[in-house]
Amino acid sequence: MFLSRSVFLSTLLLLLLLLPVNSSRLLKAGAESDLFIEAPVYQNGPECCVPGPAKQTSMCDPSLVHIAMTIDPQYLRGTIAAIHSVLKHGSCPQNVFFHFIASGDVNHYTRTLKSAFPWLSFKVYVFQEKLVKNLISSSIRQALDNPLNYARSYLADMLETCVERVIYLDSDTVVVDDIQKLWNINLRGSRVIGAPEYCDADLAKYFTSDFWSNPEFAKVFQGKKACYFNTGVMVMDLGKWRQGDYTREIEKWMRIQKDQRIYDLGSLPPFLLVFGGDVEAVDHRWNQHGLGGDNLVNSCRPLHPGPVSLLHWSGKGKPWVRLDANRPCPVDLLWAPYDLYKFQQPLDRFRFDSF
């Protein structure tokens, strides 16, 4: 399944009709995790290799699809919606194993996840913020300075060595296609990362004049066709990552940034410096990014032309915030059917024809 602009409204209405509200039940009143309703149980199709029961499934099972996400109070609602979307559209939802990188109380997140998805296979890890606290320099938006934004650079260190491939997803995404398709892409040769590339973007704007005026820095892109890619959706070969010790390479550029200010945009530029020009290009349908506006302005943006497999609210605006404020953008209504938040406002208060 995928979405296109021509079927935007009809797909929205279909999603609202298919959302199995009646099969969801509210959590017990007074429970610590009394924020989300329980998701339906999504089962594997007949073509799937079925792993053991969720509580007994080993994360080393070769039939599993591994997905890594961060989880924190600010984006918890987005994370829950993203999980729901992956399971709802997956051909083998019982074969998905989630790895959650957390800031704060791991037990609280574990209870919340089990309440919303009792059968989900997952593990919650504590991110040691001290790893990056002294390496982070201020960026153009304060939210980008959160240490958890840098956790994606440490997945190879944190996840078990038997996990050799992982899909990293930002918490402001929803998947509207079978995640197995993204999992199955081939990372050819030495390529460590697969992601949609945008070669028409001006790579120069992601680095300061101090970077480009330094021949030692600028030569990192010499002889390469380096293109911008968004690090919110990546297929990562953790085996190759560990062999190349790429976490240390990213840390090296972060140290240089602390001293010389070679970029302004959070955790993205080090990835461009380390992997730019050697990324496995994935179809753009797998990251319709920028739906939250830009990094400074919360503005509405339409879907890009073409098919859609993943919607990404990168930028300042988040769909749950805009919906609660009664100021949703049209694309936010495509996020809403995956929202399991108990206290969400009814969608029928919005007139679809007004968009």
Side-chain angles (χ1 to χ4, degrees):
M1 175 185 176
F2 58 85
L3 302 175
S4 64
R5 298 182 70 182
S6 63
V7 296
F8 179 91
L9 184 57
S10 59
T11 301
L12 169 63
L13 296 174
L14 178 63
L15 286 170
L16 292 174
L17 290 172
L18 292 178
L19 186 66
V21 176
N22 291 335
S23 64
S24 303
R25 66 176 177 81
L26 296 179
L27 305 181
K28 293 181 180 180
E32 182 178 2
S33 303
D34 192 17
L35 293 175
F36 301 95
I37 59 178
E38 184 179 306
V41 175
Y42 296 104
Q43 297 182 338
N44 282 356
E47 72 279 13
C48 303
C49 296
V50 182
K55 293 183 180 180
Q56 300 176 8
T57 299
S58 166
M59 72 175 66
C60 298
D61 188 318
S63 68
L64 295 178
V65 171
H66 294 275
I67 297 177
M69 304 180 70
T70 58
I71 188 166
D72 68 346
Q74 184 178 3
Y75 284 83
L76 177 60
R77 189 168 165 187
T79 301
I80 296 292
I83 299 166
H84 187 199
S85 72
V86 169
L87 300 175
K88 182 177 179 64
H89 295 291
S91 59
C92 304
Q94 293 172 286
N95 290 27
V96 180
F97 194 103
F98 285 90
H99 305 263
F100 298 105
I101 315 302
S103 64
D105 185 353
V106 169
N107 292 329
H108 166 70
Y109 293 125
T110 299
R111 287 190 293 270
T112 300
L113 291 164
K114 286 184 176 180
S115 295
F117 308 99
W119 53 276
L120 191 69
S121 297
F122 71 92
K123 180 177 178 179
V124 183
Y125 307 73
V126 176
F127 181 58
Q128 301 296 332
E129 295 186 357
K130 63 183 180 181
L131 292 172
V132 295
K133 192 170 184 180
N134 294 327
L135 295 176
I136 297 174
S137 55
S138 60
S139 62
I140 62 174
R141 183 158 61 92
Q142 187 176 2
L144 300 176
D145 299 338
N146 185 336
L148 206 57
N149 283 333
Y150 295 83
R152 70 198 80 189
S153 302
Y154 293 86
L155 294 176
D157 295 340
M158 299 183 68
L159 274 56
E160 281 73 358
T161 56
C162 66
V163 180
E164 296 191 342
R165 171 179 282 225
V166 71
I167 296 173
Y168 176 82
L169 297 178
D170 272 351
S171 296
D172 51 3
T173 60
V174 293
V175 177
V176 293
D177 203 344
D178 186 356
I179 198 68
Q180 192 80 39
K181 298 177 184 178
L182 183 59
W183 176 258
N184 287 337
I185 71 161
N186 182 24
L187 298 178
R188 297 171 294 172
S190 63
R191 290 173 176 169
V192 179
I193 286 176
E197 289 188 299
Y198 304 89
C199 295
D200 56 345
D202 183 8
L203 197 65
K205 73 179 183 179
Y206 293 97
F207 301 94
T208 66
S209 58
D210 287 344
F211 173 86
W212 294 112
S213 63
N214 186 317
E216 288 298 310
F217 296 159
K219 75 178 183 181
V220 73
F221 293 121
Q222 287 181 2
K224 298 180 178 180
K225 187 182 178 182
C227 300
Y228 164 81
F229 65 95
N230 182 285
T231 56
V233 180
M234 297 184 288
V235 181
M236 306 171 70
D237 188 319
L238 298 184
K240 293 177 185 176
W241 184 295
R242 294 174 183 121
Q243 291 174 7
D245 201 14
Y246 289 110
T247 298
R248 308 291 88 77
E249 285 293 305
I250 288 174
E251 288 178 338
K252 178 192 76 174
W253 284 110
M254 292 176 68
R255 291 189 181 93
I256 292 173
Q257 160 73 354
K258 287 285 286 188
D259 292 336
Q260 303 189 43
R261 193 68 183 182
I262 58 174
Y263 55 80
D264 295 317
L265 192 63
S267 61
L268 169 64
F271 271 81
L272 297 177
L273 289 164
V274 174
F275 299 109
D278 197 22
V279 172
E280 187 68 42
V282 175
D283 194 293
H284 287 183
R285 69 195 299 163
W286 283 103
N287 194 351
Q288 281 260 347
H289 67 286
L291 300 181
D294 62 29
N295 280 303
L296 298 176
V297 180
N298 175 4
S299 57
C300 292
R301 290 184 176 179
L303 291 176
H304 308 302
V308 184
S309 293
L310 184 146
L311 299 162
H312 186 188
W313 279 261
S314 58
K316 188 174 182 179
K318 303 306 172 189
W320 56 92
V321 176
R322 296 192 297 212
L323 283 162
D324 285 353
N326 294 322
R327 293 193 300 271
C329 296
V331 292
D332 297 342
L333 300 181
L334 292 173
W335 178 90
Y338 304 102
D339 185 15
L340 296 178
Y341 186 56
K342 178 180 177 181
F343 305 105
Q344 61 181 282
Q345 299 297 320
L347 288 179
D348 57 9
R349 74 190 190 282
F350 301 118
R351 290 181 48 135
F352 298 144
D353 58 0
S354 67
F355 298 103

